[in-house]
Amino acid sequence: ETGVTQSPTHLIKTRGQQVTLRCSSQSGHNTVSWYQQALGQGPQFIFQYYREEENGRGNFPPRFSGLQFPNYSSELNVNALELDDSALYLCASSLGTEEAFFGQGTRLTVV
Amino acid sequence: GEDVEQSLFLSVREGDSSVINCTYTDSSSTYLYWYKQEPGAGLQLLTYIFSNMDMKQDQRLTVLLNKKDKHLSLRIADTQTGDSAIYFCAEFDTGGGNKLTFGTGTQLKVEL
């Protein structure tokens, strides 16, 4: 148990729809990062939030957006879903640059 | 850019040692990590090594770092069936956000 919780665990959406994924960080952690893991691949960095501000972004289009709240929980929003967005979305929390602990992930299927 | 490479599969017998290898390209990485992922699950942090260290031992796990060759390895002693999983190495990169760059993962299969 890492103390990082994600919801929902599974989700099925239709192409073109929008989705919001949620992450509660481990107590005391102020940094949340989001990763996309396609089947058979390693996780790819989407973006990171530190104290409610975006603190770096990977090679993902603007339809991937996020928020971090004052309690350091976070949301990942994806607009105009495409079939290739089907993946496991992982949230990781950390205290600044210290080691990151991952949640169990949200499995998103786009049909 | 950063690139982390791993071999895709490793099969060992229960009780043997497993060695999972990884190469990375970013010489400025400060930390290198090993994560374990079981089917349908998230990533479990196993261990990490600071870039100025050559070796770190943690119970059955030994991490070796060859910074000159940018080579990282994870040795699991007395491998058990419960060790069957995918193992990812990752380098910590402070450019463009404090992010982890992962390899493609090595699937470890432990046979009786």
Side-chain angles (χ1 to χ4, degrees):
Chain A
E1 280 298 320
T2 63
V4 182
T5 57
Q6 294 186 239
S7 62
T9 53
H10 295 84
L11 199 50
I12 300 175
K13 288 286 191 178
T14 303
R15 195 170 40 178
Q17 284 188 314
Q18 179 263 345
V19 69
T20 298
L21 310 181
R22 294 179 176 84
C23 172
S24 293
S25 57
Q26 186 170 321
S27 177
H29 285 182
N30 56 15
T31 303
V32 172
S33 305
W34 287 91
Y35 291 81
Q36 180 196 66
Q37 187 180 18
L39 199 61
Q41 301 293 318
Q44 298 287 318
F45 176 72
I46 302 174
F47 44 56
Q48 181 181 86
Y49 281 84
Y50 171 67
R51 293 185 174 181
E52 302 179 60
E53 298 285 330
E54 188 178 287
N55 184 44
R57 188 179 182 92
N59 189 25
F60 280 82
R63 60 190 185 83
F64 285 77
S65 63
L67 281 174
Q68 188 179 31
F69 300 99
N71 66 355
Y72 301 130
S73 65
S74 177
E75 286 183 355
L76 164 66
N77 299 289
V78 187
N79 293 321
L81 283 165
E82 300 177 359
L83 296 179
D84 285 350
D85 295 333
S86 295
L88 181 67
Y89 287 84
L90 294 161
C91 164
S93 81
S94 60
L95 180 61
T97 59
E98 294 184 7
E99 59 265 31
F101 294 91
F102 284 80
Q104 291 296 96
T106 294
R107 173 75 61 187
L108 173 65
T109 302
V110 183
V111 296
Chain B
E2 316 91 17
D3 195 17
V4 180
E5 295 188 357
Q6 300 178 238
S7 52
L8 292 180
F9 298 103
L10 177 65
S11 180
V12 300
R13 290 197 177 275
E14 189 177 40
D16 287 350
S17 292
S18 308
V19 179
I20 302 171
N21 294 300
C22 170
T23 58
Y24 62 98
T25 56
D26 188 356
S27 58
S28 65
S29 296
T30 52
Y31 288 94
L32 294 139
Y33 293 85
W34 285 102
Y35 284 86
K36 176 184 180 183
Q37 187 175 40
E38 298 185 66
L43 298 174
Q44 176 192 351
L45 176 63
L46 288 177
T47 187
Y48 62 92
I49 188 167
F50 189 55
S51 59
N52 68 354
M53 297 170 66
D54 297 324
M55 186 183 87
K56 180 179 179 181
Q57 188 152 1
D58 184 0
Q59 299 181 338
R60 291 192 298 125
L61 305 178
T62 302
V63 179
L64 295 178
L65 175 60
N66 181 329
K67 199 170 180 182
K68 174 176 168 287
D69 294 338
K70 297 178 187 167
H71 182 266
L72 182 73
S73 67
L74 174 69
R75 179 177 180 269
I76 305 172
D78 187 25
T79 312
Q80 302 297 306
T81 54
D83 295 324
S84 293
I86 299 176
Y87 291 80
F88 292 95
C89 68
E91 59 178 351
F92 182 71
D93 175 25
T94 57
N98 298 318
K99 65 181 185 288
L100 294 168
T101 299
F102 287 86
T104 50
T106 299
Q107 182 161 5
L108 174 64
K109 181 178 178 182
V110 182
E111 298 175 324
L112 295 171

